Amino acid sequence: QVSGRVLVCDSIDRAGIDSMKRAGLAIDYKPEIKANELVATVKDYDVIVVRSRTKVTKEVIDASNAKIIARVGVGLDNVDVKAAEAKKIRVINAPEAASVAVAELAIGLMISLARNIPRADAETKKGNWIKKDLMGTQLSGKYLGIVGVGNIGRHIGRMAKAFHMNLIGYDPYPINKEFISETGMIVTDLNTLLESADYITCHVPSTPETKHMFNAERLAKMKPTAYLVNTSRGEIIDENALYEALKNGKLAGAALDVFEVEPPTNKLLLGLPNVVCTPHIGAQTKEAQELASIVIAEKIIQILRG
Ligand code: NAD
């Protein structure tokens, strides 16, 4: 048994809440909590649990006595990690919980692009039989460029092998050797990947180095028949440059789960017929949310046990 007060600021799966309760923790579940209420009440809690909605700003951290800030998911973009570290608050996340969910979505987006599924669906439901316009392409035999070969990048690589795709990978840090020998991935520099891939899927973190990694110059290196898929973070693509490339036929299409501003405001980009969009649903599966909440609960209990 452990003791402590936990403030859950965003909606999270019950499984983790139940296991924290069983361990003896007192839980306040406030998935709609506003920023001012958070600042006013945060001092009463040992643990602050968030997903992506709540911003754990320096102001929140300064007002808190917490030992742990827990993000049920991966990205720590909504937590001021530096401010937390300065107060010796542990910041934890569940980096692997969503890997399968995001990789499956990326595969789904690739097939959506290859077969024009969103347009086929919309037109068929309107009563338009546009079969002749819907000549697609196959994933089999195509080169998939994976930019950022971490957890998610490796999951999508294994899945893509089942579709008989060839893998090309770029990562400035060492890539898991077993994965390379298992999949036969060709490891290259970014320019070679851009020039040779039929599909490019991005799985990099959001950092100063990855901001606008896909700018006009890099997009111009891609094949005009290639597709770009982004399920990582919106900032890595210069959306205006992507719009120009797609509009001018320099790129066949793009599928985006994440945007520079969310919800996206770039109407020109969203209005293009060769763009497929989803509202940041990469991690939005029952299984991933349940796993993330269980993993976070276990980490919290372990840390509080000391
Ligand atoms: P990870 O840390 O396991 O992998 C990231 C990889 O990117 C690492 O191998 C790292 O070496 C590499 N990398 C770092 N800088 C790079 C650079 N400049 N160029 C190329 N590669 C670089 O992370 P992950 O779990 O695979 O997550 C990847 C991304 O997916 C993150 O941005 C994460 O926020 C995002 N994500 C999105 C959703 C969603 O809902 N769409 C859900 C979960 C994760």
Side-chain angles (χ1 to χ4, degrees), residues 14-15 25 56 70 72 92 95 177 179 213 236 241 275:
R14 282 217 63 86
L25 293 169
V56 187
V72 182
I92 59 171
K177 289 206 175 64
F179 170 78
M213 182 175 189
I236 76 157
V275 171

Side-chain angles (χ1 to χ4, degrees), residues 74-75 95 98-99 102 147-153 170-173 203-206 209-210 213 231-233 257-258 280-283:
V74 194
S99 301
V102 180
V147 177
V149 192
N151 277 319
I152 298 172
Y170 164 71
D171 197 308
Y173 301 98
H203 304 288
V204 300
S206 174
E209 291 79 49
T210 60
M213 182 175 189
T231 57
S232 64
R233 282 294 178 261
D257 185 47
V258 288
H280 203 148
I281 55 170

